[in-house]
Amino acid sequence: MSRKTSAKISLEGIDPLFIYGHHDSNLSKVEQRFGVKVIARGQQIAFEGEGKDVERVSDLFRELLILVKKGYEFNDGDLLAALEYVEQNPSIAEDAPAAATILSTDKKVIRAKSPGQQAYVEAIRKNDIIFSIGPAGTGKTYLAVAMAISSLKNKEVSRIVLARPAVEAGESLGFLPGDLAEKVDPYLRPLYDALYDMVPAEKLRKLLDMKVIEIVPLAYMRGRTLNDSFVILDEAQNTTAIQMKMFLTRLGIGSKAIITGDITQVDLPDKEASGLIQIQHILADMQGVKFVYLTEKDVVRHRLVQEIIKAYEQYENGQDQSTTQGR
């Protein structure tokens, strides 16, 4: 015979809106997902139902609340996704360090929003060359820019250089209309967006005018040596092997480099191998170089972005299996 039981958890120190949702919308979702009755009483939440179900959901809530109190945020208040993340990563609350502030400005406070992002931030702090590989929306570029601004603010570096392949398949700019700035601007715009989100517009314009912050197409990095700099290469999956080597050998004394990309979205012609894919084999065991892999669990955009990424992975895996079976 099944045994009915109950458990109570205090929400003291936690924004109840994250747990309850608007008009308590999260509670019914939890009830459906975990098969328990959920009762909200101010700063306390109670679960009633089968013993094993109550134990399971209450344990997950306790782990989640530890993470939230450590400063982690979860995808747009998606409570179910947060609970599933905790369930898929046992004991993560005890193992995860507190989410320290990365950058505090007049505009906002920026910190890691998932344990995966926190591991990325720690890798940046401890290594000179960091490769961040993962799907869209995981904060690869945004956190890299935040760390760069923080390093500049703390006078750990004297300038920031941000580079991107100017077009998807190798920087062929000649056919585009306008002067150089007009040609490359659309490809560099995401980097400007991140900067404007963190630095007041007038101050950013001064830093750009003084070349303290530079945003350049990857092709224009050739021949340079970057000392005392924080260097970021974005969209690195669209670099060739030659371009990747060129970029990495620009690094000078007192500099740090972050290379970000999504190896599932390579836009190079089939005949050219992605430098980001190749470099994982070349530098895998080199001291001072760290590869960080973010997943859909670290997505901090709309909750559906996680589901879209999962759907594409399932579709592509199915396509790969069909191709293999057809041979």
Side-chain angles (χ1 to χ4, degrees), residues 173-194:
L173 300 175
F175 68 93
L176 295 173
D179 60 20
L180 175 63
E182 291 171 329
K183 289 177 179 180
V184 303
D185 186 71
Y187 303 102
L188 304 179
R189 180 52 49 188
L191 297 173
Y192 283 103
D193 290 343

Side-chain angles (χ1 to χ4, degrees), residues 4-223:
K4 298 286 185 179
T5 188
S6 63
K8 296 179 182 178
I9 293 177
S10 171
L11 302 179
E12 186 176 355
I14 304 294
D15 181 2
L17 183 62
F18 170 66
I19 300 298
Y20 298 153
H22 294 285
H23 307 296
D24 293 347
S25 59
N26 282 343
L27 302 186
S28 60
K29 294 176 184 177
V30 171
E31 288 181 337
Q32 293 173 10
R33 173 70 175 78
F34 295 99
V36 298
K37 184 177 181 181
V38 183
I39 304 166
R41 298 191 179 104
Q43 290 291 316
Q44 192 175 75
I45 190 168
F47 309 102
E48 295 180 355
E50 301 290 338
K52 58 181 177 55
D53 295 329
V54 169
E55 182 180 5
R56 176 190 177 202
V57 73
S58 59
D59 285 348
L60 289 176
F61 264 86
R62 290 189 186 96
E63 291 263 308
L64 176 61
L65 294 181
I66 292 172
L67 284 172
V68 173
K69 287 179 179 179
K70 285 184 175 183
Y72 293 102
E73 301 175 26
F74 289 88
N75 300 312
D76 200 24
D78 191 336
L79 178 63
L80 272 186
L83 289 169
E84 288 172 359
Y85 180 88
V86 171
E87 187 169 35
Q88 292 164 11
N89 296 270
S91 303
I92 194 168
E94 286 78 5
D95 298 337
T101 297
I102 298 168
L103 179 66
S104 181
T105 71
D106 295 337
K107 303 190 80 172
K108 61 170 56 183
V109 175
I110 298 170
R111 58 171 61 91
K113 293 188 176 184
S114 74
Q117 288 191 350
Q118 182 65 21
Y120 176 29
V121 170
E122 291 300 317
I124 295 171
R125 289 176 174 148
K126 295 176 181 178
N127 298 274
D128 289 333
I129 298 178
I130 305 92
F131 291 88
S132 176
I133 299 172
T138 50
K140 303 183 298 296
T141 303
Y142 195 81
L143 290 177
V145 172
M147 290 293 287
I149 295 293
S150 176
S151 292
L152 184 66
K153 186 178 178 181
N154 295 332
K155 299 184 178 179
E156 297 165 358
V157 296
S158 61
R159 62 176 168 170
I160 298 170
V161 180
L162 304 102
R164 246 188 172 215
V167 294
E168 291 83 353
E171 308 187 339
S172 301
L173 300 175
F175 68 93
L176 295 173
D179 60 20
L180 175 63
E182 291 171 329
K183 289 177 179 180
V184 303
D185 186 71
Y187 303 102
L188 304 179
R189 180 52 49 188
L191 297 173
Y192 283 103
D193 290 343
L195 287 168
Y196 275 112
D197 203 35
M198 301 175 199
V199 183
E202 187 59 34
K203 183 176 181 180
L204 180 57
R205 279 193 289 270
K206 289 180 181 178
L207 293 172
L208 290 167
D209 289 343
M210 296 167 61
K211 303 296 183 184
V212 174
I213 298 178
E214 288 185 72
I215 304 179
V216 297
L218 177 59
Y220 293 84
M221 297 283 285
R222 192 174 299 279

Side-chain angles (χ1 to χ4, degrees), residues 229-241:
S229 302
F230 201 116
V231 192
I232 299 172
L233 173 59
D234 192 34
E235 294 290 318
Q237 76 274 9
N238 290 328
T239 62
T240 64

